[in-house]
Amino acid sequence: MRILILSQYFWPENFKINDIALGLKEKGHEVIILTGLPNYPDGNLFSGYKNCGFVEYWNDIKVYRSRLLPRGNGGAIRLFLNYFSFAFFASFKIFSVKEKIDSVLVFEPSPITVGIPAVFYKVFKKVPYAFWVQDLWPASLTAAGGIKNKLLLGIFNSLTKKIYKYSSILLVQSRTFTDYIIDQGVSKDKIVYVPNTTEDFYKCIDKSNKYSYLLPQGYKIMFAGNIGEAQSLDTFLNAMKIVIDNGILFNWIILGDGRYLETLKNNTKSLGLEPYVHFLGKYAAEEMPEFFSNADALYVSLKKDYIFSLTIPSKVQSYLACGKPIIASLDGEGAKVIEESKSGFVSDSENVVELSIIIEKVLRLTDIEKEECSKNALNYYNKEFKRETVLSKIENILIQISNNE
């Protein structure tokens, strides 16, 4: 089968869809990508890419690049232009795809506008598409972007409904997305739960010395990923202040980059935590297990918002696969995964005092208790999020919609 993956983000940007593309190729399908020019998360075009469309190859996968306006500093207007410029140019570029496509997989971690080219392709080329919902729109505009304008939210709600209507099937990364989408007029029969998985290189390994020269001595809690407002990392910072003021010292290792990085550094300095917070910068995802193997625990969080309570942060699967105790500041579905897996401890989102208590609890875990968390994490990952299981589900769905059209 010939599959077109439509995603605003793709390699060299670090998104889970990269591995899904590789996985479908491994299963013997011809995979073609339509994506934008890489500029996430810094907002600037990656080296070697100019603002024009072209074709390249990655791991023998053909990648069509569409023009777009880079995110820049990530302000509201710039993001709006980034989203719609990709949708506009990709709606033309998709008709330049030379291959005869059997089905399309749309990957949507935001924005919803990524679905617009798929709608045109469906209407004019009669090619069905599956839409993989990673973020709920228009609710994500309010939760992550702070947008409350009713007219604008109404426009995006109408757009979302239209994109959902033309899709052959909707995949949701969290079961709790279902009710919200049903309220948007989608039949429950059209919705299928397909959780995110993670790359095979995320795995439990023996303690590595590869990056030990960068790491401090003592107890280490690590965070890896995008550093934005949605992650609410100040919650951990303030909880850390309480724990350290109680005389319990530990280190927080931060791996990644994002728009909130400089603010977080300034807040670290203001709280007098600079000796204990270590910003190591951005590394390739493939390197994360090398770092995680030196961690005593891994941290994940989201700000308090109803929509965020419905989602499972994608790093949860990666953390579980690496078999380390997890500290979470989450509500809803993400918290449920940590609790059900018995892989760590959870506090409510943005509850600083509660988080400080579970940090102290994790700091006091014995080696035997840590090992128990590790086993529980790996068992749960293999049961719920295993890569092969998720890939097979996506494969079967794409075959099904192709045969039904």
Side-chain angles (χ1 to χ4, degrees):
M1 185 168 62
R2 191 173 285 123
I3 302 166
L4 176 65
I5 293 179
L6 175 58
S7 173
Q8 183 165 335
Y9 314 102
F10 194 72
W11 175 90
E13 295 164 315
N14 182 25
F15 281 83
K16 299 298 182 184
I17 194 61
N18 303 353
D19 187 59
I20 295 297
L22 287 174
L24 290 172
K25 177 176 173 287
E26 290 164 7
K27 284 181 166 291
H29 302 289
E30 183 179 350
V31 178
I32 297 103
I33 310 296
L34 173 57
T35 189
L37 298 171
N39 67 113
Y40 182 91
D42 296 339
N44 301 310
L45 291 180
F46 284 33
S47 177
Y49 292 87
K50 294 182 179 180
N51 199 14
C52 60
F54 60 92
V55 176
E56 63 179 337
Y57 287 85
W58 174 71
N59 287 308
D60 295 324
I61 294 174
K62 192 173 185 178
V63 181
Y64 288 85
R65 295 278 178 188
S66 172
R67 295 176 62 191
L68 54 68
L69 184 71
R71 297 165 64 91
N73 61 8
I77 294 176
R78 190 75 183 208
L79 279 177
F80 180 86
L81 293 173
N82 172 255
Y83 294 166
F84 275 97
S85 64
F86 173 75
F88 177 79
F89 288 114
S91 293
F92 291 97
K93 190 73 176 181
I94 198 169
F95 293 102
S96 299
V97 174
K98 297 178 180 179
E99 294 77 9
K100 188 179 185 306
I101 302 300
D102 296 303
S103 59
V104 177
L105 174 63
V106 183
F107 180 70
E108 178 261 349
S110 277
I112 191 66
T113 47
V114 69
I116 294 174
V119 172
F120 283 111
Y121 206 56
K122 171 75 176 290
V123 171
F124 292 105
K125 289 285 191 176
K126 310 302 180 186
V127 179
Y129 67 90
F131 195 88
W132 198 1
V133 182
Q134 301 287 319
D135 282 337
L136 292 172
W137 275 63
S140 290
L141 278 174
T142 302
I147 294 174
K148 299 179 181 179
N149 183 285
K150 290 184 178 180
L151 176 61
L152 188 60
L153 292 174
I155 291 171
F156 274 105
N157 191 43
S158 297
L159 176 62
T160 302
K161 289 180 178 180
K162 185 71 71 175
I163 290 169
Y164 289 173
K165 177 183 176 181
Y166 277 94
S167 69
S168 296
I169 196 164
L170 289 177
L171 318 182
V172 292
Q173 62 102 326
S174 170
R175 289 188 178 93
T176 52
F177 280 13
T178 302
D179 288 343
Y180 184 94
I181 293 174
I182 289 173
D183 286 342
Q184 290 178 298
V186 178
S187 169
K188 187 176 182 179
D189 295 337
K190 193 176 180 176
I191 303 170
V192 178
Y193 171 58
V194 180
N196 288 314
T197 181
T198 199
E199 298 88 342
D200 278 345
F201 56 74
Y202 281 107
K203 57 188 175 182
C204 189
I205 65 173
D206 292 334
K207 189 173 182 179
S208 168
N209 293 322
K210 185 173 182 179
Y211 294 107
S212 58
Y213 69 97
L214 294 173
L215 301 173
Q217 298 296 314
Y219 203 99
K220 291 176 277 292
I221 297 173
M222 290 189 184
F223 169 88
N226 184 49
I227 302 170
E229 292 186 14
Q231 284 69 43
S232 188
L233 296 179
D234 284 322
T235 301
F236 190 93
L237 206 59
N238 289 304
M240 184 180 191
K241 174 70 172 173
I242 294 173
V243 175
I244 287 180
D245 284 350
N246 287 340
I248 305 172
L249 303 182
F250 70 99
N251 298 286
W252 188 22
I253 316 299
I254 299 175
L255 298 155
D257 197 2
R259 288 184 287 159
Y260 200 72
L261 177 60
E262 290 306 314
T263 302
L264 190 65
K265 286 181 176 180
N266 290 335
N267 293 344
T268 298
K269 185 176 181 179
S270 297
L271 290 172
L273 294 175
E274 285 181 294
Y276 312 105
V277 181
H278 309 269
F279 296 92
L280 300 190
K282 185 178 178 182
Y283 287 81
E286 291 84 351
E287 299 301 305
M288 290 304 102
E290 304 285 345
F291 284 101
F292 292 170
S293 70
N294 290 276
D296 294 283
L298 304 173
Y299 177 67
V300 56
S301 61
L302 286 172
K303 67 188 288 190
K304 181 169 283 295
D305 189 280
Y306 168 69
I307 292 304
F308 288 148
S309 74
L310 302 181
T311 192
I312 304 171
S314 59
K315 64 169 53 63
V316 168
Q317 285 90 339
S318 302
Y319 284 2
L320 290 169
C322 288
K324 289 289 182 177
I326 298 173
I327 299 172
S329 174
L330 296 172
D331 296 328
E333 192 70 2
K336 184 179 178 182
V337 168
I338 306 303
E339 290 169 344
E340 280 188 352
S341 63
K342 297 181 181 178
S343 58
F345 301 90
V346 183
S347 67
D348 292 340
S349 292
E350 299 189 29
N351 190 323
V352 172
V353 173
E354 191 175 291
L355 179 58
S356 72
I357 291 170
I358 68 168
I359 289 172
E360 290 192 20
K361 184 181 292 187
V362 172
L363 292 174
R364 294 191 179 100
L365 289 178
T366 65
D367 289 341
I368 293 175
E369 289 170 328
K370 288 183 194 176
E371 184 61 29
E372 188 67 22
C373 284
S374 176
K375 289 179 181 178
N376 292 340
L378 294 171
N379 288 338
Y380 194 87
Y381 175 80
N382 288 327
K383 177 185 174 185
E384 297 289 335
F385 304 122
K386 197 171 183 179
R387 181 177 184 263
E388 180 58 33
T389 302
V390 173
L391 283 169
S392 293
K393 187 175 284 191
I394 292 172
E395 177 189 35
N396 291 335
I397 287 168
L398 293 174
I399 292 172
Q400 176 189 333
I401 66 171
S402 176
N403 291 337
N404 289 344
E405 290 293 324

